Amino acid sequence: MKIVVCVKQAANGDLNPFDACAYEAALRIPDAEVTLLSMAPMKSQELLLSLTRLGAKKAILLSDRAFVGADTLATAYALSKAVEKLAPDLVICGRQTVDGDTGQTGPGLAEALSYNIIPNVMEIIETSEKLTCRTRTMGEMTVSYPALITVERIN
């Protein structure tokens, strides 16, 4: 299974905690080929490199001065263009970032890609034929691939 995990470096230089949970969730899926995707300044290269040492096959950094100050809609659009090229089965995003705190990028990305979405995931239950997750707000949900999930602070 091909998985893209969207990650962002927090202002303190660490990985956004919700994205850390998303990354760990991806690494726990058997036979997953994980790619990290970030839209950030070039200084995020070091963090992405360190994260690949934990198990991701590769990391992709989208960086351009034109992205500075991008809102959630612009961010979702830029990320969607990269995800289209990667053609994963599953995209995993943290529920929100600790700096923006809107929780809009993941759902916006799912909409831009026309992917099925399960938000507020607390547990990934099944990943074989279809994706089944337990959510914070809607109980158990099942969708077909390609799909996008946003995860809470799980794991």
Side-chain angles (χ1 to χ4, degrees), residues 73-147:
L73 182 61
T75 300
Y77 177 78
L79 291 171
S80 75
K81 293 304 168 187
V83 171
E84 284 174 357
K85 290 183 183 292
L86 296 168
D89 302 297
L90 177 62
V91 176
I92 305 178
C93 300
R95 180 185 77 190
Q96 65 190 56
T97 60
V98 291
D99 58 351
D101 209 23
T102 65
Q104 295 174 346
T105 301
L109 179 57
E111 179 68 22
L113 293 165
S114 296
Y115 277 23
N116 295 309
I117 184 171
I118 302 177
N120 307 110
V121 170
M122 298 296 293
E123 177 185 10
I124 299 171
I125 299 169
E126 178 64 41
T127 60
S128 57
E129 296 298 316
K130 291 190 176 205
L131 177 65
T132 302
C133 299
R134 184 175 56 82
T135 72
R136 178 173 47 88
T137 55
M138 295 180 283
E140 196 170 291
M141 294 182 66
T142 300
V143 296
S144 58
Y145 295 107

